Amino acid sequence: MDGVLCGPSAFKYWRIPPQVLSLCPPLPIGDFARHRSDYLEHPLVKEILGLPLSRLLVGDRHPNSTSNLTNHAWSGPLPPGAVVQSELGIEVTSPAFTLLTLANQVSYITLVMCAYELCGSFAVFKPSPRIEEALASPRNHAALNMFGAWERVCSANGKASNLWSREPLIDIDELRNFAANTDGMRGHRALVRAANDVRGVAASPFEVQAAMLLSLDTRLGGCGFKDLQLNRRIWLSASARATSGRSSAIADLYFEGEEGVKLDIECQSRLIHNSVPAAIEDSNRSLSLQMMGVTVLPITFEQVHDEKRFDRLADHIAKVLGRRRARRSERYRVVEVELRAQIFCDWSCLVA
């Protein structure tokens, strides 16, 4: 395509599992205008990205946007590594540069959510009926088990979800360094803030929602617990290892409070923890951490989603950590409602 996929289109591209991309035919190389019908009917566009496509045009050309293409002009030099070649033969902005191109197109809260996903070990991808059919077809077995394929998370009864497990697409420190080097570029300030508001490598939207409510500044509707760490590895003692059968444990949301208090908040997702083996493993893990002086607090989605229940939960967390929550003014309540409206969305439709 004459131009580079950027913004919402690039973000949607980075959510696509490699095994799904492997089922798509290559895109025609060259000017979109000469291959318009080929692009509009291509599975990548028709089934996944949707229209209009967001296209970055580098240089002095500034063609008007159309119903099928939203053009974003970039007149200055691109940051190093800003553009990569996709598996389908087109160019797309890198994960970090994608966030920069999103910074002026989405709200700040949505930008933080996008950064959490690209820096996290998960992706949310909702296959269309046509793609779902292809994923279920035995003739695609080899492609779906290719090297580097993402793992689709299934419920205890085997039902496939829209949550996929994968390695992070960008390291958090790498994102922060990239953001720091974009001074003077559009979206620089928002991206720097967003990168600093990512508290670690999240494994699910639930972890992100809980982390944002607890750690974001009170001016944004959060609790302001900025020392939160996501998925902190804790090395176990000999007795704790004997109890859990593991050398280490990962704390979903981890805090260190006053007088050496250590708190592990575990996000109990029905999707992941709703089985007897998972319950046994959780129990062994919890006991091993408590043997090492770590307080383990399991939380549910309902406790985070319900405003009043979360308020009591946050008060309890502050008490365990030996802290006081900031006074919740009327202004705070307003921004908290706004924050909740954004984070408790249909995550598969994070960007339009």
Side-chain angles (χ1 to χ4, degrees), residues 27-219:
L27 276 158
I29 305 299
D31 188 7
F32 177 87
R34 296 200 305 270
H35 303 283
R36 180 175 178 273
S37 60
D38 292 338
Y39 272 98
L40 298 185
E41 293 301 317
H42 193 279
L44 179 68
V45 176
K46 193 172 183 179
E47 304 289 334
I48 304 173
L49 300 182
L51 296 173
L53 294 172
S54 295
R55 180 173 68 162
L56 186 74
L57 296 176
V58 181
D60 298 327
R61 297 174 58 247
H62 303 286
N64 294 328
S65 297
T66 67
S67 59
N68 295 324
L69 281 176
T70 300
N71 293 316
H72 302 273
W74 191 276
S75 56
L78 292 174
V83 176
V84 298
Q85 190 80 16
S86 78
E87 296 181 27
L88 299 181
I90 57 174
E91 291 183 313
V92 60
T93 51
S94 67
F97 193 41
T98 294
L99 292 172
L100 183 65
T101 62
L102 277 174
N104 290 328
Q105 300 181 59
V106 300
S107 72
Y108 177 72
I109 297 302
T110 299
L111 180 64
V112 175
M113 294 164 73
C114 291
Y116 261 117
E117 181 167 330
L118 295 183
C119 292
S121 60
F122 76 95
V124 177
F125 175 76
K126 183 178 181 179
S128 67
R130 185 180 175 189
I131 293 176
E132 200 71 82
E133 183 180 350
L135 291 173
S137 174
R139 68 174 179 270
N140 294 325
H141 178 78
L144 301 182
N145 290 277
M146 60 184 284
F147 178 77
W150 298 355
E151 181 181 354
R152 193 172 188 180
V153 178
C154 297
S155 65
N157 61 8
K159 184 179 179 180
S161 73
N162 297 327
L163 181 64
W164 303 72
S165 179
R166 53 143 175 78
E167 292 297 315
L169 299 183
I170 181 171
D171 180 78
I172 296 173
D173 288 336
E174 183 183 347
L175 176 61
R176 289 172 180 165
N177 290 335
F178 175 89
N181 291 321
T182 61
D183 192 16
M185 300 180 187
R186 286 174 296 175
H188 162 74
R189 291 184 179 179
L191 184 59
V192 168
R193 286 179 59 205
N196 287 326
D197 273 331
V198 175
R199 303 295 172 186
V201 179
S204 70
F206 179 19
E207 288 185 6
V208 175
Q209 291 158 339
M212 290 180 70
L213 284 172
L214 289 170
S215 69
L216 283 180
D217 194 277
T218 54
R219 291 173 297 176

Side-chain angles (χ1 to χ4, degrees), residues 234-245 283-296:
I234 301 173
W235 295 103
L236 302 178
S237 64
S239 58
R241 288 198 301 270
T243 300
S244 67
S283 178
N284 288 335
R285 179 190 167 284
S286 177
L287 177 58
S288 65
L289 285 173
Q290 292 187 64
M291 290 168 64
M292 295 184 60
V294 179
T295 300
V296 180

Side-chain angles (χ1 to χ4, degrees), residues 7-9 11-12 15 102 106 110 114 346-352:
S9 294
F11 181 74
K12 293 175 184 177
R15 305 181 102 180
L102 277 174
V106 300
T110 299
C114 291
D346 180 351
W347 200 284
S348 63
C349 302
L350 200 52
V351 296

